[in-house]
Amino acid sequence: MIPFLDLKPINAQYRQELIDAATRVIDSGWYILGQEVKAFEAEFARSCGAVHAVGISNGLDALTLILRAYKELGVLAEGDAVVVPANTYIATILSITENRIEPVLVEPDLGTYNLDPDLIEAALTPRTRAIMVVHLYGQAAAMTEIRAIASRRGLKVIEDCAQAHGAMLDGRVVGTLGDAAGYSFYPGKNLGALGDAGAVLTADPALAETVRALRNYGSHVKYQNRYQGPNNRLDEMQAALLRVKLEHLADENARRRAIARRYLDQIRNPAVILPVVARGDESHVWHLFVVRTRDRDGFQKHLLERGVQTVVHYPIPPHRQEAYRAWNGRSYPITEKIHREVLSLPMSPVMTADQVDAVIAAVNEYRGA
């Protein structure tokens, strides 16, 4: 069986480095907000060309704290509205509703699966204060067009970079293209921890300072609490492990791109719709290689019978979830089509050439419904 993603061999490549990092933390006697977190924040910011990086407990908390910080700074208020892609993973939307802000769902482009900038203007209202962009599946969104809209309307641009570690647009890394960005380092990400972890990037010193305080009970100075903040800290162990993984991110992304190029060049099946790369090779880091077909279940069964494991990202769109049952009657046809048809093929930096060959052959053998 060709696994969709097997984390054991990915991390096994760096086993001794990870053990050394973990040992360093254990021997330090300091396990919360110490030198490892500071070092990772500096190294991650430098790798992205960012001014400030703040280590956070996970990706959802990173996005949630960005919005919360903007509320504390008077930029956002409860009842404001934020434009967000309708086809994103639900965590993006949870970060908005957690802050009692209204998500305004906008359809994606069917080719790239990213937010369609041509549909944003019609969704704006006097209450709109920000656009939350998702670089879905690892591909940079249409940031030039989106930033232009935001500039004309005086809106903040917040990037959800949970799937796009290292993706670039016009020579800049995603996460530095808007006003603030949230990253997830969930184990299966391109830059994955060995547990939950996340980060906020921004060039705004006031926002960075506020997020730093909020993540630690709202405390800016020990035993002094400026805000009623949560506990959303990145811990020392995950920071140390991420420092190891960060050194290898560029090489792993290069391997993902090489696999994606083979898929794009050699899958020749009219029943299978391949992803579209809209803005050059560097704009996509292929966290997921997502195809579409009319009979997704039949296609998945066909591949499984040939020893290829696949995953559906994601079977139910946010507006159809029980958590947002008040939205269940809404219609987003493009989003619904995507969620009905998409299937993610195996994509891993440790896939062998033979495994890639087998996936391509199995896809090309599919005859469709």
Side-chain angles (χ1 to χ4, degrees), residues 15 22 129 184 211 227 264 295 309:
R15 178 181 176 82
R129 296 288 180 270
S184 166
V211 170
Y227 312 108
L264 291 170
D295 180 20
Q309 185 182 58

Side-chain angles (χ1 to χ4, degrees), residues 238-300:
Q238 295 304 333
L241 300 174
L242 282 166
R243 292 180 67 194
V244 172
K245 300 289 289 291
L246 180 59
E247 293 181 1
H248 303 283
L249 176 62
D251 289 340
E252 291 200 359
N253 280 346
R255 177 59 182 152
R256 287 173 180 271
R257 288 187 176 113
I259 294 168
R261 280 193 294 271
R262 289 202 56 202
Y263 282 166
L264 291 170
D265 291 344
Q266 297 177 34
I267 292 175
R268 291 287 181 267
N269 189 331
V272 178
I273 300 170
L274 296 173
V276 173
V277 182
R279 292 170 180 84
D281 191 51
E282 286 194 329
S283 71
H284 209 320
V285 292
W286 301 101
H287 172 60
L288 299 173
F289 191 96
V290 179
V291 299
R292 286 192 294 116
T293 189
R294 284 170 46 186
D295 180 20
R296 189 253 313 284
D297 292 346
F299 181 43
Q300 187 172 38

Side-chain angles (χ1 to χ4, degrees), residues 57-74:
S57 47
N58 57 65
L60 169 58
D61 290 341
L63 293 174
T64 302
L65 289 190
I66 290 170
L67 295 173
R68 170 74 187 278
Y70 275 136
K71 287 170 66 179
E72 297 291 354
L73 293 168

Side-chain angles (χ1 to χ4, degrees), residues 21-22 24-25 36 40 235-244:
R24 188 172 67 240
V25 174
E36 296 292 343
F40 173 69
D235 73 72
E236 285 286 281
M237 185 65 75
Q238 295 304 333
L241 300 174
L242 282 166
R243 292 180 67 194
V244 172

Side-chain angles (χ1 to χ4, degrees), residues 44-271:
F44 186 59
R46 185 164 55 251
S47 74
C48 295
V51 180
H52 303 283
V54 184
I56 304 296
S57 47
N58 57 65
L60 169 58
D61 290 341
L63 293 174
T64 302
L65 289 190
I66 290 170
L67 295 173
R68 170 74 187 278
Y70 275 136
K71 287 170 66 179
E72 297 291 354
L73 293 168
V75 176
L76 294 173
E78 291 186 12
D80 284 343
V82 173
V83 166
V84 64
N87 64 313
T88 186
Y89 180 57
I90 198 170
T92 316
I93 295 170
L94 288 170
S95 73
I96 300 171
T97 56
E98 175 67 18
N99 280 283
R100 299 183 184 278
I101 295 170
E102 180 189 354
V104 178
L105 307 187
V106 173
E107 292 266 57
D109 175 88
L110 189 56
T112 66
Y113 308 116
N114 278 329
L115 183 62
D116 188 340
D118 292 337
L119 302 179
I120 293 176
E121 293 271 10
L124 302 180
T125 73
R127 293 189 296 112
T128 307
R129 296 288 180 270
I131 303 170
M132 187 173 283
V133 179
V134 181
H135 303 296
L136 197 64
Y137 307 149
Q139 179 164 201
M143 291 299 292
T144 301
E145 296 89 335
I146 291 169
R147 282 197 314 244
I149 295 168
S151 179
R152 289 196 302 270
R153 296 298 191 110
L155 306 175
K156 294 293 185 183
V157 176
I158 301 164
E159 299 175 75
D160 181 342
C161 300
Q163 300 184 357
H165 313 73
M168 298 182 71
L169 190 64
D170 299 327
R172 294 173 61 186
V173 179
V174 298
T176 67
L177 302 173
D179 296 286
Y183 274 86
S184 166
F185 305 123
Y186 182 79
K189 304 297 186 183
N190 290 36
L191 177 57
L194 274 69
D196 275 321
V200 169
L201 293 186
T202 185
D204 182 343
L207 182 68
E209 180 186 12
T210 305
V211 170
R212 286 187 192 279
L214 285 171
R215 73 174 175 182
N216 189 34
Y217 303 104
S219 176
H220 59 296
V221 177
K222 192 169 184 178
Y223 299 130
Q224 297 180 34
N225 300 76
R226 182 174 294 171
Y227 312 108
Q228 297 176 30
N231 175 0
N232 291 148
R233 301 174 301 214
L234 174 64
D235 73 72
E236 285 286 281
M237 185 65 75
Q238 295 304 333
L241 300 174
L242 282 166
R243 292 180 67 194
V244 172
K245 300 289 289 291
L246 180 59
E247 293 181 1
H248 303 283
L249 176 62
D251 289 340
E252 291 200 359
N253 280 346
R255 177 59 182 152
R256 287 173 180 271
R257 288 187 176 113
I259 294 168
R261 280 193 294 271
R262 289 202 56 202
Y263 282 166
L264 291 170
D265 291 344
Q266 297 177 34
I267 292 175
R268 291 287 181 267
N269 189 331

